[in-house]
Structure formats: structure tokens, C-alpha cells
Amino acid sequence: MSKKPDPISTLLSFALAFFMITVVLPIMAGAAGVMYAINTITYGLLPKSELQRNSKGQFLVTLDNYTNWHTRAKIETSKDNSAHLLGQYVVRAFPKVSETCHKIKNCKSYTSEFVTLDYKNANVYLIEQKDDKLFSRATSSLSSRIQTHNKQLKGNFNLNISFDDVDELEKISNQLTVLAKMQPFSDSENQVKKIHSNVVHFAKNNCRNNGVGCSVKATLIYDYSVFGGPDFLLAR
């Protein structure tokens, strides 16, 4: 026998939906508009940095000034809210760690799990070219620890140990200039974003052991965001 719907619960559900549509959503939309207006006014009032341009007319920024408020004020109040990031950069893929049974005899009989480097789901980073060897050492350290773990586990079916998944990049964060973790865009219609996404996919497959052939040019997109950004767009 089917249970009849509770009229009070139904009424409350309709009331909640009505409140969300008529109150919450308009407030959120209004807040976004207010923030945009505040940001526009803020950047309009701030002193503007004197930025050079390249032969294409793009603003030129550096690691030292690209997040500076006066730099942002200059770029975000211009017609073209983008800038070219000066310097030499590469993209590198840093693998994740995943469980595996590949080429492990009687793998299912083990109490613990074997692990391997997972480049399919690797994170892609934009780093300074001078930090490339340091980045490679972090990758090698992770690979070495995986080999040690699997060697210790092999043949010891009852050994209950887990892999110590220490963040190797975090260990050297005070030495390594990791600018940003790069993500592909889902918008395939935008040619510039498509190029960026191709660079990210290329890095996952080809920029694992070192940054040879992985040099990129970085464009920064400023979008009136006081607390975030700018966003990176990469090209090879």
C-alpha cells in the first residue's frame, strides 16, 4: 500500500522553492552586480601603473607586478583586459598516486595495495624554466618512494602497510615557484581557450620527465575580480 504524501511537507517544499526563486536568487544576482560595480569604481579610482606594451599592443607584466593592485587597475580599466607575462616558463605534469595490480602476481591476495604513478590524472603546473630540474627531483623522489613501498610489500601477503602519500611539491614549495595549476577549458568553441586546453593535454603526455619541448607563453586575463585571478591562458 503506497504511503500518501504528507500535505505539510508538500506545502513546506513549495514554500521553500518559492522563497529560493523569489528571494535568494534575485539577491545573489544583485550581489554579483553590486560587486562588479564596486570593483569597477575601485579600479577606476586607483592610481594606474605605467606598463609597457609589446609589438602586438599587449601590456607587459612580470612575476613581481602582475598581481599588484595598480597593475590590475591599469589593465582592468582598459579596453583589452589582458597582458603578456614576461619570462621563460614551462608546463610540467606531476603525477598522482593510484592503486595498481599491473604485473603483480596474485595481487588480490595481498592485504595491502601496490601503487603506481598515475599520469592519466596528473596535475599540470606552470613553472619558471629555471625550476625545471627541481620539479624533476620532486617527481623522482615520489617515484623512488613508490618503488620502495612496492618492493617492501612484494611477497609479504599479510603485511598491512599503506603508502605514505607525502606531497613532494609541498616539501620544496619554498624553493619552487609554482605559478598555477592549469586546467583545460570545456569551451571548445573559443579558439584561444582551445589552444590552452591543447597545451594542458600535451603536457600530461609529453612533459613528465623534464621540460624539454614544453616551453609556453603565458597570457593573463583580468576580469574585475578583486579576490581572485588573473586567469592564465597558455600557448606553445
Side-chain angles (χ1 to χ4, degrees):
M1 183 176 179
S2 62
K3 187 177 179 180
K4 293 183 179 179
D6 183 358
I8 295 179
S9 297
T10 302
L11 183 62
L12 288 174
S13 297
F14 278 119
L16 179 60
F18 180 79
F19 177 76
M20 290 293 294
I21 293 171
T22 60
V23 179
V24 177
L25 291 180
I27 289 176
M28 291 177 65
V34 169
M35 282 301 297
Y36 181 84
I38 291 174
N39 291 348
T40 303
I41 295 171
T42 300
Y43 287 128
L45 294 175
L46 280 174
K48 314 296 189 294
S49 295
E50 292 297 327
L51 300 177
Q52 294 183 338
R53 296 178 184 260
N54 60 18
S55 59
K56 297 180 181 179
Q58 286 180 302
F59 288 116
L60 299 176
V61 295
T62 67
L63 287 178
D64 294 326
N65 72 359
Y66 83 95
T67 58
N68 184 284
W69 278 77
H70 303 301
T71 298
R72 299 174 74 106
K74 176 69 172 181
I75 299 173
E76 299 209 27
T77 55
S78 66
K79 184 183 296 184
D80 180 11
N81 61 341
S82 67
H84 174 72
L85 182 63
L86 292 171
Q88 295 180 312
Y89 305 98
V90 295
V91 278
R92 290 294 306 275
F94 195 81
K96 292 188 177 181
V97 177
S98 64
E99 298 174 359
T100 184
C101 274
H102 183 61
K103 294 185 178 180
I104 305 296
K105 292 183 179 179
N106 305 310
C107 181
K108 298 299 182 181
S109 298
Y110 282 88
T111 302
S112 301
E113 302 291 344
F114 289 86
V115 293
T116 187
L117 295 177
D118 179 7
Y119 276 100
K120 182 179 180 181
N121 297 301
N123 289 320
V124 173
Y125 292 93
L126 175 69
I127 64 172
E128 285 192 274
Q129 192 174 56
K130 68 179 182 62
D131 291 332
D132 186 53
K133 290 183 179 180
L134 188 60
F135 194 100
S136 292
R137 286 202 291 270
T139 305
S140 297
S141 177
L142 177 60
S143 178
S144 178
R145 291 197 298 108
I146 286 177
Q147 291 177 21
T148 300
H149 169 84
N150 289 346
K151 186 176 181 181
Q152 180 183 10
L153 184 58
K154 196 169 184 178
N156 296 311
F157 293 99
N158 295 320
L159 187 62
N160 188 10
I161 59 172
S162 59
F163 178 72
D164 187 11
D165 194 8
V166 177
D167 190 338
E168 295 290 344
L169 292 182
E170 180 63 28
K171 287 166 58 176
I172 60 171
S173 60
N174 62 330
Q175 307 171 59
L176 179 67
T177 305
V178 178
L179 297 180
K181 184 187 295 184
M182 297 290 101
Q183 299 286 355
F185 291 97
S186 58
D187 182 5
S188 59
E189 299 301 321
N190 185 302
Q191 185 62 24
V192 176
K193 290 183 178 181
K194 185 175 182 180
I195 291 172
H196 170 93
S197 297
N198 289 340
V199 170
V200 174
H201 293 309
F202 174 86
K204 282 190 178 185
N205 296 320
N206 301 281
C207 303
R208 300 178 178 183
N209 300 321
N210 56 59
V212 176
C214 300
S215 297
V216 293
K217 299 175 182 178
T219 299
L220 295 168
I221 306 299
Y222 295 79
D223 61 354
Y224 282 103
S225 175
V226 171
F227 302 106
D231 295 320
F232 289 88
L233 283 178
L234 304 181
R236 296 185 65 214

